Amino acid sequence: MNLTVSNKRIPSRVIRLALFYSLILSFTHSLIATAHVGSSGVIVQKQVGKYQLLISIKPPDVVPGTAIVTVFVEQGRASSIGARPIYFRSGDKGAPTHDILKPVGDNRYEGDLWLMESGSSSIELSIDGPDGKQQVVVPVVAMATALRTMPEGTGFGLAVMGLLLVVMLITIIGASNSDGVLTPGQKAPATLGRRRLVGMGVGLAVIALILTGWRSWWASTAEDYRDVQLYRPTPINTSVRIANAQRQLTIQFDTTGFGTGRRTRRLFSFLLPDHGKLMHAFLVRTPGLDAFAHLHPNRRDSLDYESALPPLPGGKYLLYADVVYRSGFAETLTDTVEIPSLKITAEAAANAKPTDPDDSWLVTEPMGVKASAVNIPHLDNDMVVCGKPGASMKLADGSSMIWMDKPSQILEAGKLYSLKFAVADAQGKAASLEPYLGMGGHAAILRSDGSVYIHLHPVGTYSMAAEGSLVNRIADTTRTFHYPNAARFKDSIDTYVAKLKTLPEAEKNKLLVASMPGMSHAMKINNMVEFPYAFPRAGHYRIWVQVKRKGQVLTGVFDTQVNEPLL
């Protein structure tokens, strides 16, 4: 049997696997997440032509499976929106035609889209209407991330029904082998009962062989899913050493388990720079989340990265390191590291230089709930902005960052928000911002227990390098992608990253912006930056917002409470 979806024939083997995975995954909850810890799905806010779009894509937790695609047309007149998956390995030539999304409200479109292959992929949206035709490519990591078990009651019920069907089938086979040989009016021979028993015996043996083979296939497929298909983050080993009166952070990819399955393998020589950096490493001290650093370690070889640590206080830190592979596969590597305290002279501290000029850090008050209030963390809801709750914080240069247009004091999980922040100088006037790593700003969001983390950009929750890689792959006319020489590719990337560090700030940002043509997200007022996001779970969250002003990276920090939505 074959099935046709969007003019593409799907082999019956894929259909069987899809049904198998759908069955074993229909009874419990997802256990792990992929590129962004605890934040599944992709949120994109983009201006293309006359259309301003807010896009939400929730990929399946098992592949083959269906992704839920939602598009809000915030500006522009659209009459139809089509969507299709494009996989990195097969490219545009191997992709199906567009499925038309269904209008479900004013300027809102939704639809389910089958993703048939694991790995790096993208959703291409085709917008048509009075304001013209436009296309948008959204990177999506399609990986199996859920492991589920069948409830005992359901298993017992299915076993009873299966046993009943087997008994009925054996009875039918026995009857057909005996009664079926009689002609109308013929007297039953003495051997009829023996023939019935022989038929039932043969039927039982055949059914036992079929069930044994089916059981073997089921167990093999389940084992393959658990050990091979199921996504497992790349393990890393993180350590800190002291050299020349400065602490050095080392991040090493752990390759000891590479022989266990293809899903654990990564092509570490084929990392892509995102915003000009091969790795974005975020350090947050636990449990108070009071010390924060955004670092960009240097690559020493394919597996080892190093960075000088800023003057952070000692303690236990959570580490989140974002990397992007040549295929567009984006991954967050996680670890914990103990940073020792280090007492050095003021002169030594002044002479210490960061590994990267764009490294930044902040030490502030611990996260917690005020004793005099309920559900109000520190650094939140201390002011009212235009009649709405807001928050403000003094920045390192004397200016202030303000959280604007907050819908309410307590936010709701699963609801899509536009997190908007503004910067005012010491006199309260709008303070113009400069590009930081080619964009208006960056944000990192962390749940108090570290279970939810995401690195946000004004255009959304995805990697710019991943989008560039997938857009270039779509433009490629070849059906199958072939990787270049690993050593040459690595050397070319290292040369590019090293060159960026030597360029003046204006020239570097110009080059970064040119490499990310679809990333423009200009604000009407140059002192503002906003990020689209939906908090996945209830809890206390801390938000670090990073902007650049007069050549200095400034970090604002805000806390907020997120509750489950009211029914």
Side-chain angles (χ1 to χ4, degrees):
M1 178 184 69
N2 287 321
L3 181 66
T4 301
V5 176
S6 298
N7 297 330
K8 296 290 181 179
R9 295 185 66 81
I10 302 173
S12 57
R13 176 181 177 274
V14 174
I15 298 172
R16 290 196 303 271
L17 289 177
L19 293 174
F20 167 78
Y21 291 144
S22 298
L23 181 59
I24 67 172
L25 294 173
S26 60
F27 300 104
T28 187
H29 59 278
S30 178
L31 298 178
I32 56 177
T34 54
H36 296 298
V37 179
S39 293
S40 60
V42 182
I43 299 173
V44 179
Q45 190 173 40
K46 261 195 171 185
Q47 182 80 35
V48 285
K50 295 183 179 181
Y51 301 105
Q52 180 171 309
L53 307 174
L54 182 59
I55 306 163
S56 172
I57 299 176
K58 297 180 180 179
D61 56 7
V62 60
V63 181
T66 56
I68 301 174
V69 181
T70 305
V71 180
F72 299 89
V73 183
E74 298 179 313
Q75 292 179 10
R77 297 167 297 167
S79 56
S80 68
I81 298 179
R84 65 169 181 157
I86 301 180
Y87 311 104
F88 181 81
R89 282 184 288 183
S90 56
D92 179 64
K93 299 298 182 182
T97 58
H98 290 85
D99 290 341
I100 302 301
L101 303 185
K102 180 182 178 181
V104 293
D106 292 340
N107 299 320
R108 179 181 174 183
Y109 299 80
E110 282 189 357
D112 296 337
L113 198 65
W114 273 93
L115 295 179
M116 306 302 297
E117 295 182 16
S118 298
S120 179
S121 60
S122 61
I123 303 296
E124 182 188 71
L125 298 174
S126 180
I127 303 97
D128 195 3
D131 286 330
K133 294 183 178 181
Q134 296 290 339
Q135 287 187 333
V136 176
V137 175
V138 180
V140 176
V141 175
M143 296 294 289
T145 60
L147 184 62
R148 310 186 179 216
T149 57
M150 183 181 297
E152 292 185 4
T154 303
F156 178 78
L158 291 175
V160 171
M161 287 189 291
L163 180 61
L164 179 62
L165 290 174
V166 168
V167 171
M168 292 174 62
L169 183 58
I170 292 174
T171 303
I172 292 172
I173 295 175
S176 64
N177 189 56
S178 57
D179 301 346
V181 300
L182 298 177
T183 60
Q186 182 181 359
K187 184 179 179 180
T191 60
L192 185 65
R194 188 172 62 224
R195 290 179 61 89
R196 182 179 293 113
L197 292 175
V198 170
M200 294 174 64
V202 172
L204 177 62
V206 172
I207 292 174
L209 289 174
I210 294 175
L211 291 178
T212 300
W214 179 263
R215 173 65 180 175
S216 177
W217 173 85
W218 181 279
S220 175
T221 305
E223 183 180 0
D224 178 79
Y225 172 81
R226 184 181 63 251
D227 298 338
V228 179
Q229 298 293 333
L230 192 66
Y231 169 79
R232 289 177 175 81
T234 301
I236 56 174
N237 297 318
T238 310
S239 60
V240 175
R241 62 182 177 87
I242 299 176
N244 299 323
Q246 189 166 11
R247 295 167 299 182
Q248 296 286 334
L249 173 72
T250 299
I251 301 173
Q252 183 184 61
F253 291 103
D254 184 357
T255 62
T256 55
F258 268 28
T260 60
R262 66 179 183 273
R263 296 298 180 204
T264 60
R265 300 189 182 102
R266 303 289 190 272
L267 299 176
F268 297 118
S269 294
F270 292 96
L271 289 187
L272 290 178
D274 200 13
H275 309 294
K277 313 297 181 182
L278 279 172
M279 179 182 289
H280 293 261
F282 293 86
L283 284 166
V284 182
R285 189 166 73 160
T286 186
L289 311 189
D290 56 343
F292 166 87
H294 178 184
L295 308 178
H296 309 96
N298 283 336
R299 176 162 63 181
R300 299 305 179 194
D301 54 49
S302 296
L303 300 180
D304 297 286
Y305 290 73
E306 289 186 353
S307 178
L309 284 176
L312 296 171
K316 184 178 180 180
Y317 282 75
L318 303 175
L319 171 73
Y320 302 90
D322 296 330
V323 294
V324 183
Y325 301 91
R326 175 64 182 85
S327 64
F329 188 92
E331 188 171 33
T332 296
L333 316 171
T334 62
D335 200 4
T336 58
V337 58
E338 191 74 29
I339 295 181
S341 299
L342 181 64
K343 295 182 178 180
I344 59 176
T345 64
E347 181 181 2
N351 292 332
K353 294 183 178 180
T355 298
D356 191 285
D358 292 310
D359 287 355
S360 55
W361 60 93
L362 177 72
V363 179
T364 185
E365 61 180 286
M367 187 179 189
V369 177
K370 296 179 181 178
S372 60
V374 178
N375 277 348
I376 302 178
H378 290 314
L379 305 175
D380 191 24
N381 302 324
D382 62 351
M383 63 184 298
V384 175
V385 182
C386 299
K388 295 183 179 181
S392 65
M393 180 190 176
K394 283 288 185 182
L395 301 179
D397 68 343
S399 60
S400 297
M401 182 176 288
I402 305 167
W403 186 349
M404 305 283 294
D405 297 339
K406 190 176 179 184
S408 61
Q409 289 188 353
I410 299 176
L411 306 181
E412 292 184 10
K415 189 174 181 178
L416 190 58
Y417 293 104
S418 181
L419 309 178
K420 184 184 295 185
F421 303 88
V423 179
D425 61 19
Q427 288 73 41
K429 297 180 180 180
S432 297
L433 303 178
E434 303 165 358
Y436 176 38
L437 298 178
M439 305 196 78
H442 294 251
I445 297 180
L446 189 66
R447 195 172 184 267
S448 58
D449 62 356
S451 62
V452 176
Y453 153 84
I454 196 162
H455 179 189
L456 275 175
H457 307 106
V459 291
T461 63
Y462 68 101
S463 160
M464 279 73 260
E467 182 185 32
S469 178
L470 290 161
V471 168
N472 292 335
R473 179 68 183 100
I474 292 173
D476 190 355
T477 58
T478 59
R479 180 70 181 253
T480 304
F481 178 80
H482 297 284
Y483 280 92
N485 179 272
R488 292 178 183 175
F489 182 87
K490 176 178 173 295
D491 289 344
S492 66
I493 294 297
D494 288 340
T495 301
Y496 170 77
V497 171
K499 178 185 176 182
L500 284 177
K501 290 185 179 182
T502 65
L503 295 178
E505 190 69 14
E507 189 175 345
K508 179 182 69 175
N509 280 310
K510 183 178 180 181
L511 189 60
L512 288 176
V513 171
S515 67
M516 302 182 293
M519 304 306 140
S520 176
H521 197 273
M523 299 294 293
K524 293 180 180 179
I525 304 177
N526 191 33
N527 74 319
M528 292 186 179
V529 61
E530 64 177 334
F531 308 91
Y533 186 59
F535 294 89
R537 297 167 53 198
H540 293 302
Y541 286 83
R542 175 154 282 193
I543 306 172
W544 292 269
V545 181
Q546 297 194 287
V547 296
K548 202 164 193 177
R549 180 170 179 254
K550 296 181 179 180
Q552 182 181 3
V553 178
L554 304 172
T555 302
V557 57
F558 302 90
D559 295 341
T560 193
Q561 171 74 22
V562 178
N563 287 353
E564 294 294 343
L566 299 176
L567 299 178

